[in-house]
Amino acid sequence: DAKTTQPPSMDCAEGRAANLPCNHSTISGNEYVYWYRQIHSQGPQYIIHGLKNNETNEMASLIITEDRKSSTLILPHATLRDTAVYYCIVRVPYTGGFKTIFGAGTRLFVKA
Amino acid sequence: DVKVTQSSRYLVKRTGEKVFLECVQDMDHENMFWYRQDPGLGLRLIYFSYDVKMKEKGDIPEGYSVSREKKERFSLILESASTNQTSMYLCASSETKSGGYTFGSGTRLTVV
């Protein structure tokens, strides 16, 4: 089972920041938080991941709370093309490594 | 950029046929994965491989097998296709076990 919970859907106005929350209260000390998104009819796209510190790349910023029980993905200036399902993932130990479980995600609608 | 290529975007097969879904990645990644995605069920892990000739069952391996004869190629085989295997199939690869995944565009398989 997924170790994260996310709101099922969110709206955002074009040009504004989109802040997508994720709860992962059972996360272990050495587990990373990953974010992916999936645009309709395409494969999921990796966005960003982090452990403790906030992270930023060309796509987004990731803010992780100090207790690591939750995080927020920030798209600083959302565009219509950012409309997608966003998945927050904490991987679980599995045979020889880790398993990435995709939950239901948050469906983000960016509106003009 | 890493590219994960799935040989077919759309495929229609008859019940009982043997079906091969091919996936090739061009960045020398060790790890490769096969998921299927169905409405309401999200992405589910079928099989994965951490090395050539190596394979591990995921959460729903029944009715499927895999082949990894070369590092860059990971094939999913439906031994005798059934209508309940109609789905979107997604292949992914990662450089390390802890790294982000790169997904292919998916193969939408319809079994009639």
Side-chain angles (χ1 to χ4, degrees):
Chain A
D1 292 325
K3 295 176 64 174
T4 62
T5 55
Q6 301 176 253
S9 66
M10 294 181 64
D11 290 345
C12 178
E14 188 179 21
R16 305 297 293 270
N19 298 293
L20 292 96
C22 178
N23 287 323
H24 31 79
S25 57
T26 61
I27 193 170
S28 300
N30 60 351
E31 289 176 332
Y32 285 78
V33 180
Y34 295 80
W35 283 83
Y36 290 80
R37 74 178 182 185
Q38 187 172 24
I39 296 169
H40 182 63
S41 296
Q42 297 182 22
Q45 176 190 24
Y46 165 80
I47 301 173
I48 199 168
H49 72 283
L51 182 63
K52 294 181 186 175
N53 301 320
N54 299 336
E55 301 286 345
T56 295
N57 63 20
E58 64 278 4
M59 289 182 68
S61 295
L62 174 60
I63 309 297
I64 303 174
T65 58
E66 195 166 340
D67 63 8
R68 304 212 323 119
K69 293 183 185 297
S70 66
S71 60
T72 301
L73 180 75
I74 301 172
L75 308 178
H77 306 286
T79 70
L80 299 179
R81 287 179 293 181
D82 291 323
T83 292
V85 178
Y86 287 78
Y87 299 98
C88 169
I89 292 160
V90 173
R91 300 205 283 198
V92 300
Y94 204 63
T95 309
F98 297 92
K99 181 168 64 172
T100 296
I101 300 175
F102 288 80
T106 296
R107 190 171 292 275
L108 176 68
F109 296 94
V110 181
K111 300 181 176 179
Chain B
D1 278 353
V2 177
K3 219 173 180 183
V4 176
T5 303
Q6 295 184 232
S7 53
S8 304
R9 190 80 174 96
Y10 297 96
L11 211 53
V12 179
K13 295 292 181 180
R14 295 194 180 278
T15 301
E17 275 193 78
K18 189 168 187 175
V19 181
F20 292 85
L21 302 183
E22 305 288 348
C23 175
V24 177
Q25 48 93 4
D26 64 0
M27 283 297 289
D28 204 36
H29 282 182
E30 299 281 348
N31 312 298
M32 297 188 75
F33 308 86
W34 274 106
Y35 287 83
R36 64 178 280 178
Q37 185 172 28
D38 302 287
L41 297 175
L43 280 85
R44 293 179 289 168
L45 182 64
I46 305 172
Y47 266 96
F48 60 99
S49 169
Y50 290 145
D51 201 354
V52 176
K53 306 276 187 183
M54 178 269 183
K55 59 186 178 185
E56 290 286 349
K57 293 180 180 179
D59 296 323
I60 51 163
E62 297 78 21
Y64 303 94
S65 62
V66 289
S67 171
R68 191 148 182 221
E69 295 295 319
K70 293 184 178 181
K71 194 175 188 178
E72 66 270 19
R73 186 181 295 270
F74 192 36
S75 303
L76 181 70
I77 303 157
L78 287 66
E79 296 290 343
S80 177
S82 63
T83 54
N84 63 13
Q85 293 178 308
T86 291
S87 185
M88 169 71 91
Y89 289 88
L90 291 157
C91 175
S93 74
S94 68
E95 184 175 9
T96 64
K97 290 181 183 179
S98 60
Y101 291 6
T102 299
F103 280 85
S105 298
T107 295
R108 189 167 291 281
L109 173 69
T110 302
V111 182
V112 297

